[in-house]
Amino acid sequence: MQCNFVIPGDIVGAAEEFMPGEGTYVKGEHVRATTAGVKEIDSKERSAKVLPRANAPVKLEKGDIVVGQITDLKESLAILRLAFKRGRESRPIHNTEALIHISRIKDSYVKEMRQALGLRDIVKAKIIDDTPTIGLSIVDDDLGVVKAYCTRCATPLKLEGKRLVCPECGQVESRKLSTDYGTGMIR
Ligand code: ZN
């Protein structure tokens, strides 16, 4: 494996042989690494990529889709602890907080945070600000709550039609849902 480790600028493969994938660029006749990591050649798809070292911190940028858990709800802000970035599910994000402002939940007016988000909910969101804190939006249809917990008994809520129902205590709740809700997937 040692020989598969590359640093930025290293040749990963021949440009005429491989499509440049993630972590690479083409310069002249070669596909080269943009990042330090492990090179991976897919001879079937004829692509070359460089996967960053597993212990490297996950880089978060505007436009990234992330998943996190709500740790606090305030009048006009939800605070999340980020868990991972889409496409980097195997590499957890550590100790990173992000915020969702009440104006970034829906296109339409949201009167109360608690109508759209609940404590401990798992949320899929897009990064729209990265300084000084990470700001998120869940306005798009595929963004929003992907798993919600009953505010009365903490059981995961089930989507029945357009209603979120607690299978344990019967409580009916509302959230700004992602179209991924209940699928068990982050698409
Ligand atoms: Zn319940």
Side-chain angles (χ1 to χ4, degrees):
M1 279 308 271
Q2 191 108 44
C3 60
N4 283 335
F5 188 77
V6 293
I7 58 167
D10 276 359
I11 294 170
V12 181
E16 57 170 36
E17 229 181 314
F18 300 108
M19 290 279 294
E22 192 185 330
T24 69
Y25 66 102
V26 173
K27 195 177 180 192
E29 299 172 358
H30 298 111
V31 177
R32 291 173 184 267
T34 58
T35 179
V38 179
K39 91 176 165 185
E40 201 176 85
I41 301 290
D42 186 330
S43 45
K44 219 187 242 171
E45 295 205 337
R46 309 188 63 79
S47 68
K49 59 184 174 181
V50 175
L51 303 174
R53 261 191 306 191
N55 59 0
V58 179
K59 213 168 130 194
L60 297 171
E61 296 171 314
K62 275 187 205 178
D64 284 346
I65 302 296
V66 289
V67 172
Q69 183 167 39
I70 296 185
T71 56
D72 200 4
L73 282 178
K74 303 199 185 291
E75 207 170 312
S76 60
L77 273 184
I79 299 167
L80 289 86
R81 191 172 51 240
L82 298 182
F84 62 84
K85 167 170 151 176
R86 185 173 66 183
R88 288 274 190 280
E89 285 80 354
S90 60
R91 296 173 51 206
I93 298 168
H94 298 291
N95 299 322
T96 304
E97 282 200 333
L99 307 174
I100 303 175
H101 188 259
I102 197 161
S103 64
R104 300 281 170 65
I105 291 177
K106 292 180 184 178
D107 277 332
S108 53
Y109 175 68
V110 176
K111 195 176 165 208
E112 272 188 74
M113 215 56 187
R114 284 166 205 285
Q115 296 174 339
L117 296 168
L119 207 57
R120 290 189 295 273
D121 284 359
I122 310 294
V123 176
K124 174 188 175 190
K126 182 163 77 182
I127 296 179
I128 51 168
D129 285 313
D130 52 10
T131 49
T133 36
I134 296 177
L136 305 172
S137 165
I138 55 168
V139 171
D140 295 351
D141 285 349
D142 67 315
L143 305 176
V145 176
V146 293
K147 187 169 188 179
Y149 296 89
C150 177
T151 53
R152 195 195 284 164
C153 75
T155 303
L157 297 172
K158 272 207 166 123
L159 188 59
E160 291 181 2
K162 287 191 170 177
R163 303 186 329 153
L164 277 175
V165 182
C166 176
E168 203 55 42
C169 73
Q171 169 111 321
V172 176
E173 303 198 5
S174 73
R175 298 286 195 280
K176 195 298 180 178
L177 294 179
S178 158
T179 48
D180 290 350
Y181 194 94
T183 66
M185 289 190 294
I186 302 297
R187 283 178 281 213

